[in-house]
């Protein structure tokens, strides 16, 4: 296998998935009456005609045997009605195909100063995510809001694994379906640099076997990049609350991002978050729970990220 093949093959799968979602009517093509079509979505030759390339040329792109030129990829993005995130995904796959896959590197451990900052945010749930939505660090309020991460094995501290495998997470989110779909789309976007990363394929394989919805959504190849949003939670201690969340990329390690949750002052959600913070502060740390310094320096967090 060459360095180009994983990215070109994924680009072909991605374009085929987007082609299957469109109808001739969507792109202004005649439908020829009530004639039954043999394929869902557009045919390969229809896409090729829209882009003004040969049918063989487009077939080789979908089969992962040919990297499209920048103008051709731009035309394909327009013809397939790609969203900005989808266009970015396709372009980055094509770019990665023109360079060697970077060697695997270990994730940098969380700096003690970052953990100290998290712990000082006593009324703000805060997490640090790594690649593939690994949970690398957290503060006490985030643990009270979502889950007691300190009781989990390191490999289980993965947000998407928790969303699909932990029943409490399904009950926690009012829109679990939307949260789960977005997680899968973010994971797909996160896989651009190395679609064949053994750690990624292991996670995807595990969840595909365990959950039919994950398997279906992963195969659909939808992608997303989210930097902010809001979620409504059914919390067992304080009831329903709606929180905004924002992400901040850490320049010291682009794989790490800080996620902060907040509620608008004066709202019931803000009041409930303060109540939860009070409950969290008064609760003793669970027996065997590592303190901040231990969490920050946990060598088990140094996992292969490529």
């Amino acid at each position: 296998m060459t360095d180009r093949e994983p990215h070109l093959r994924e680009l072909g799968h991605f374009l085929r998935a987007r082609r299957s979602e469109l109808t001739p009517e969507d792109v202004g093509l005649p439908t020829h009456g009530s004639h039954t079509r043999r394929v869902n979505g557009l045919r390969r030759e229809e896409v090729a005609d829209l882009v003004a390339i040969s049918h063989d040329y487009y077939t080789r792109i979908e089969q992962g045997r040919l990297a499209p030129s920048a103008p051709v990829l731009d035309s394909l993005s327009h013809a397939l009605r790609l969203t900005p995130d989808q266009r970015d995904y396709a372009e980055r796959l094509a770019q990665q195909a023109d360079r060697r896959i970077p060697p695997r590197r270990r994730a940098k451990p969380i700096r003690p100063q970052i953990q100290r900052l998290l712990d000082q945010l006593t009324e703000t749930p805060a997490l640090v995510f790594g690649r593939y939505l690994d949970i690398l660090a957290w503060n006490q309020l985030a643990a009270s809001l979502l889950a007691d991460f300190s009781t989990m094995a390191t490999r289980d501290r993965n947000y998407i694994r928790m969303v699909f495998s932990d029943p409490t997470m399904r009950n926690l989110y009012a829109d679990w379906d939307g949260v789960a779909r977005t997680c899968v789309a973010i994971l797909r976007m996160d896989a651009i640099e190395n679609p064949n990363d053994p750690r990624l394929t292991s996670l995807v394989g595990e969840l595909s076997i365990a959950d039919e919805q994950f398997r279906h959504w992963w195969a659909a190849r939808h992608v997303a990049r989210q930097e902010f949003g809001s979620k409504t939670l059914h919390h067992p201690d304080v009831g329903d609350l709606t929180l905004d969340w924002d992400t901040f990329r850490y320049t010291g390690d682009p794989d790490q991002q800080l996620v902060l949750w907040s509620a608008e002052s004066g709202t019931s959600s803000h009041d409930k978050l303060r109540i939860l913070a009070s409950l969290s502060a008064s609760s003793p740390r669970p027996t065997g729970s590592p303190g901040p310094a231990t969490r920050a320096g946990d060598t088990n967090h140094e996992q292969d990220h490529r």
Side-chain angles (χ1 to χ4, degrees):
M1 179 183 296
T2 69
D3 293 321
R4 294 163 55 90
E5 285 182 10
H7 299 93
L8 292 182
R9 188 164 56 247
E10 173 57 24
L11 178 59
H13 288 317
F14 177 72
L15 295 176
R16 184 160 61 249
R18 301 290 74 78
R19 171 170 64 86
S20 70
E21 295 175 338
L22 295 174
T23 66
E25 294 91 337
D26 292 331
V27 296
L29 293 176
T31 58
H32 303 296
S34 60
H35 180 68
T36 302
R37 296 170 63 85
R38 295 184 179 180
V39 298
N40 293 324
L42 297 176
R43 299 187 180 95
R44 281 177 176 169
E45 56 266 27
E46 290 172 330
V47 175
D49 290 342
L50 286 170
V51 182
I53 58 177
S54 72
H55 300 176
D56 178 66
Y57 183 52
Y58 181 69
T59 297
R60 285 186 289 162
I61 292 174
E62 272 204 5
Q63 291 176 343
R65 297 189 291 126
L66 179 69
S69 66
V72 168
L73 186 56
D74 183 67
S75 296
L76 283 171
S77 298
H78 178 74
L80 294 175
R81 306 295 195 267
L82 298 190
T83 66
D85 281 349
Q86 291 171 342
R87 178 186 288 263
D88 181 55
Y89 183 71
E91 290 175 350
R92 290 175 62 190
L93 283 172
Q95 291 166 2
Q96 287 292 334
D98 286 334
R99 66 187 68 164
R100 293 185 61 83
I101 297 175
R104 292 185 187 177
R105 69 171 185 267
R106 291 187 177 275
K108 295 180 180 179
I110 299 296
R111 296 173 60 241
Q113 294 85 346
I114 299 297
Q115 184 64 64
R116 183 176 65 206
L117 172 63
L118 298 184
D119 290 325
Q120 289 175 350
L121 297 172
T122 57
E123 293 190 356
T124 302
L127 297 162
V128 175
F129 283 122
R131 181 167 286 274
Y132 307 144
L133 299 179
D134 287 332
I135 299 170
L136 304 182
W138 61 92
N139 64 7
Q140 187 66 22
L141 187 50
S144 297
L145 180 69
L146 299 175
D148 187 357
F149 307 111
S150 65
T151 64
M152 301 177 185
T154 300
R155 74 175 297 276
D156 293 332
R157 295 179 200 148
N158 177 276
Y159 188 68
I160 191 169
R161 179 182 280 114
M162 291 174 61
V163 165
F164 279 93
S165 63
D166 187 345
T168 61
M169 296 292 278
R170 290 180 181 261
N171 296 328
L172 180 64
Y173 289 113
D175 180 21
W176 179 88
D177 190 272
V179 170
R181 283 176 179 268
T182 299
C183 282
V184 176
I186 291 174
L187 184 64
R188 174 68 74 175
M189 180 70 86
D190 210 18
I192 287 177
E193 289 193 25
N194 187 359
N196 284 355
D197 183 346
R199 197 164 68 85
L200 171 68
T201 56
S202 175
L203 176 62
V204 170
E206 170 193 333
L207 294 178
S208 295
I209 293 172
D211 193 281
E212 182 179 357
Q213 287 173 295
F214 177 90
R215 183 168 63 251
H216 174 73
W217 292 335
W218 182 257
R221 285 183 161 79
H222 291 295
V223 294
R225 179 184 290 106
Q226 286 202 328
E227 298 174 348
F228 59 90
S230 64
K231 290 183 174 69
T232 298
L233 297 85
H234 302 311
H235 197 276
D237 294 330
V238 296
D240 291 356
L241 67 169
T242 299
L243 300 178
D244 300 318
W245 57 270
D246 293 88
T247 63
F248 303 88
R249 191 74 62 175
Y250 177 43
T251 57
D253 185 349
D255 285 341
Q256 295 180 10
Q257 54 184 325
L258 172 66
V259 181
L260 302 178
W261 300 61
S262 65
E264 185 177 355
S265 180
T267 63
S268 62
S269 293
H270 182 259
D271 294 339
K272 291 177 180 179
L273 189 58
R274 296 188 66 180
I275 293 172
L276 186 62
S278 178
L279 294 173
S280 175
S282 63
S283 299
R285 219 177 266 281
T287 302
S289 171
T294 306
R295 292 205 305 268
D298 186 352
T299 56
N300 287 334
H301 286 153
E302 299 182 15
Q303 304 173 21
D304 288 341
H305 274 205
R306 292 290 188 276

